[in-house]
Amino acid sequence: MGSIPEQMSNERVWEIIGQFGDAARRAKEAGADGVEVHGAHGYMIAQFMSTHSNKRFDEFGGDFNGRMKFPQEIFKDIRSKVGDDFTMTFRFSYDEKVHGGRTLEESLSVAKMAEEYTADALHVSMMTYASMQYMSPTPAMPAGFNQFQTKFIKDTVDIPVISVGRYDPHSGENALSNNCADFIAFGRSSIADPDLPNKVKENRLSEIIPCIGCTQSCIGYIFVGKSTSCLINPLTGNELKYPMDKVEDPKKVLVVGSGPAGLEAALVAGQKGHDVTVVEKDAQFGGQFRLASIPPTKHEIATALKYYVSVGQKNGVKYVTDTEVTKEYVEQFAPDTVILATGGVPSKLPINGVDNDMVVDALDILDGNVTPGGNVLVIGGG
Ligand code: SF4
């Protein structure tokens, strides 16, 4: 994260151990049901536990027992301040995915250690900040990719085990029925749709706002100093700013263009009770967003488009394709409001010859309008 770590004095280590216990006590006093001790992802506890980062040779370093002393003392301090009748779970990475870091083999011993030191459940994740691609994995990682490694942990201990990692309702159900975990944690999926568990329970799977794994507005926003939201669910983090109450005087709304902006605007207007029609000039919905779903591993973008339209239809939104909106169309339609959502226009390289027939746009290839062949030069690596 751009800062150079330094080794803490032994005195400072003991001071911080006490602060973990103090924090748990305050959480209990504030009415929390429990705390999770975060020993995953390269945070401080993980740094002490890891052969990758712990180069101490005092009581908090060296062999396995030395490296585990920091979490052990934290567990003891927390228990001494909150008692036994308060949930304390422990989160750790079963594989740090860094050279010289902990792998599953030693993580089985970590799991047993945490159980012995009174953890009530284990929350099994992976990676450190040096292997970030595994913490918020891209859609190229399959749903529930951690489940079988988590099973090794589950078979090692007698306390409940929580598994996390790009689960969807189906892969989560599989992990539970294959006895890979006792609980499934939904991270970004909960940011996209906080009602996900209830919708699964009520068998409303098609109404789940899908997380497409883009990481743009959740984690991406945090790293540029903004508060968390979601690319597919802009209400996340803005719940009070945009109340979703039904309107008293519905309007006739015409949405021009069916990219994500137009589809989301139409969906929200429909949910609020307006009479909404989306008009798209192409034969299919989605605009450039649809084309973005075509390369391998990008299929989840299409699930977002399906969500917009299927939930929009349930809210009365009408969708029209193959129709170009003209002045006459608007006059005849007579809307109260027109939402212009025709999207962006791809930029053209300012070089001689760019209008030559042999120069084609990537979007035309994705859409199947052009089949490239022969000696091909690709300009741009996005
Ligand atoms: S911005 Fe939303 S859709 Fe994208 S990864 Fe984050 S939660 Fe998922």
Side-chain angles (χ1 to χ4, degrees), residues 49 53 90 96 101 128 133 146 202 223 227 249 268 280 288 302 305 312-313 351 354:
M49 295 200 300
S53 48
F90 182 51
E96 295 184 300
T128 78
Q133 68 272 27
N146 276 336
E202 293 158 13
F223 285 129
S227 54
D249 55 339
V268 171
E280 166 62 49
Q288 294 176 65
L305 291 172
Q313 282 169 335
I351 55 174
V354 77

Side-chain angles (χ1 to χ4, degrees), residues 188-189 191-192 210-218 229-232:
R188 285 175 293 172
S189 306
I191 295 173
C211 169
I212 62 169
C214 66
T215 307
Q216 287 193 34
S217 308
C218 48
S229 187
C230 173
L231 188 90
I232 305 299

Side-chain angles (χ1 to χ4, degrees), residues 164-234:
V164 67
R166 268 185 62 70
Y167 279 106
D168 59 20
H170 300 285
S171 54
E173 193 62 41
N174 287 341
L176 295 176
S177 55
N178 288 329
N179 217 20
C180 296
D182 299 285
F183 294 92
I184 302 299
F186 291 98
R188 285 175 293 172
S189 306
S190 301
I191 295 173
D193 194 343
D195 279 329
L196 183 146
N198 290 329
K199 288 179 181 172
V200 173
K201 201 162 130 187
E202 293 158 13
N203 201 21
R204 292 159 53 209
L205 297 189
S206 66
E207 291 175 38
I208 293 172
I209 306 170
C211 169
I212 62 169
C214 66
T215 307
Q216 287 193 34
S217 308
C218 48
I219 295 140
Y221 273 9
I222 294 172
F223 285 129
V224 293
K226 293 162 121 182
S227 54
T228 290
S229 187
C230 173
L231 188 90
I232 305 299
N233 183 2

